[in-house]
Amino acid sequence: MSQALSEPRAETAPEVLYEVGDAIAVITLNRPERMNTISGPMLRRLSELLLQANADSQVRCVILTATGRAFCAGLDLVDATQGSGIGSQSQAAHVSVNLDLRDAPLTVLFQMDKPVICALNGAAAGYGMDTALGCDIRIMAESAKLAAAFVKRGVVPESGGTWHLPRLVGWSKAAEIIFTGRNLSPQECLELGLANEVVPDGELMARARAVAAEIAANAPLAVQSAKRLMRMGLEETFADHVHHVYLQFLQLVRTQDFREGMTSFLEKRPAKFQGR
């Protein structure tokens, strides 16, 4: 979580942008004057757009990024301290112990079959860091950073960080990062495996699109099946997992894309996959 200063913004500017082109959906957090801190409406809209991209047969890969100098500085504490928004006293009066998080962005992100690339254009703190960790691939601009400031604000990584981080970097390193609440530079993220690449700021989206295009050129049903199996494998025994892999394999070899993949290989030409 992080606090951002409030500045005027155009009333008509959407807080989350969405565009699709060349089989790639780009979802952009668009609240730069508040460092893309997350409001309640933004949470709902982000979930809607992630679900839309996942359901769209024309989309083969998703890029999640933001405008301005920050990726996401966390949940909006300005609204909360002013008596509205997430975590405010007005919400506290309506707290339910039966939380339904099935449609929360981080749950939706985890359940998506479409690959998601996080193009980190700037600082990702609190909720923003959890969101970045929930993506499949992270490409960082040189000016970006991950800020695990949760304990400095009196809370825990509330949106998956305590689940993702130990699996990504191991228990001891995750403990160090979370318990100290320190910032991680792009180079540290690269060394820890939290970032796949670090690129100059001006090359971030071009590089993210290039990786997305490389993914989108492959058989989409196979890519989505691979991601689904990787997710299942986190909780399965090896024997159970191999069984599920084989069942998925039997389905894929019946597809037109499988025949196209084999034919294009024999003919030494790029494949033209149709997603069926």
Side-chain angles (χ1 to χ4, degrees):
M1 293 187 176
S2 178
Q3 182 168 337
L5 297 178
S6 175
E7 296 176 6
R9 74 180 273 112
E11 291 296 328
T12 58
E15 291 186 331
V16 188
L17 306 176
Y18 185 79
E19 63 173 296
V20 177
D22 300 321
I24 301 166
V26 179
I27 300 175
T28 307
L29 303 180
N30 186 43
R31 210 183 184 205
E33 75 286 351
R34 298 281 279 266
M35 295 178 66
N36 296 308
T37 50
I38 299 289
S39 65
M42 284 179 74
L43 285 174
R44 291 188 291 274
R45 186 57 177 156
L46 180 56
S47 286
E48 291 170 357
L49 293 175
L50 288 170
L51 289 168
Q52 180 176 327
N54 200 50
D56 188 347
S57 62
Q58 301 304 309
V59 172
R60 298 187 180 185
C61 189
V62 178
I63 297 173
L64 179 60
T65 191
T67 57
R69 61 190 180 90
F71 171 71
C72 174
L75 299 176
D76 191 338
L77 297 187
V78 172
D79 284 351
T81 57
Q82 292 176 351
S84 62
I86 300 167
S88 66
Q89 288 300 314
S90 62
Q91 279 199 342
H94 302 90
V95 169
S96 169
V97 295
N98 298 312
L99 296 177
D100 186 351
L101 299 177
R102 288 174 296 180
D103 294 329
L106 273 297
T107 304
V108 171
L109 190 61
F110 180 74
Q111 295 292 343
M112 285 181 65
D113 289 336
K114 304 285 176 73
V116 182
I117 298 170
C118 184
L120 277 160
N121 56 297
Y127 189 91
M129 178 172 168
D130 281 354
T131 302
L133 295 180
C135 296
D136 302 302
I137 295 170
R138 285 163 293 280
I139 301 176
M140 294 184 73
E142 290 178 334
S143 65
K145 65 179 178 181
L146 294 181
F150 305 94
V151 296
K152 294 182 183 296
R153 306 291 180 264
V155 294
V156 296
E158 77 282 353
S159 299
T162 49
W163 193 92
H164 287 298
L165 202 56
R167 286 168 168 79
L168 290 168
V169 301
W171 182 279
S172 294
K173 183 55 68 172
E176 176 188 337
I177 293 168
I178 293 173
F179 300 165
T180 62
R182 64 185 180 85
N183 296 338
L184 299 175
S185 69
Q187 187 58 39
E188 287 178 291
C189 290
L190 193 61
E191 293 170 357
L192 289 169
L194 293 175
N196 296 73
E197 298 182 47
V198 176
V199 300
D201 290 14
E203 299 176 14
L204 177 65
M205 284 307 296
R207 181 57 188 152
R209 286 184 179 277
V211 175
E214 189 174 356
I215 293 171
N218 294 321
L221 298 179
V223 171
Q224 292 162 38
S225 293
K227 179 175 176 179
R228 187 162 54 249
L229 287 165
M230 288 170 65
R231 185 172 63 241
M232 292 169 62
L234 292 170
E235 306 295 337
E236 292 181 322
T237 65
F238 180 77
D240 287 344
H241 187 66
V242 169
H243 179 70
H244 288 141
V245 170
Y246 186 65
L247 292 176
Q248 190 68 73
F249 175 80
L250 290 177
Q251 293 297 317
L252 289 172
V253 297
R254 298 172 181 171
T255 64
Q256 294 180 26
D257 279 355
F258 173 75
R259 292 191 290 276
E260 168 63 11
M262 294 298 100
T263 301
S264 63
F265 174 75
L266 294 173
E267 294 178 354
K268 297 181 174 17
R269 60 170 176 80
K272 296 180 180 179
F273 295 114
Q274 302 298 316
R276 56 179 184 266

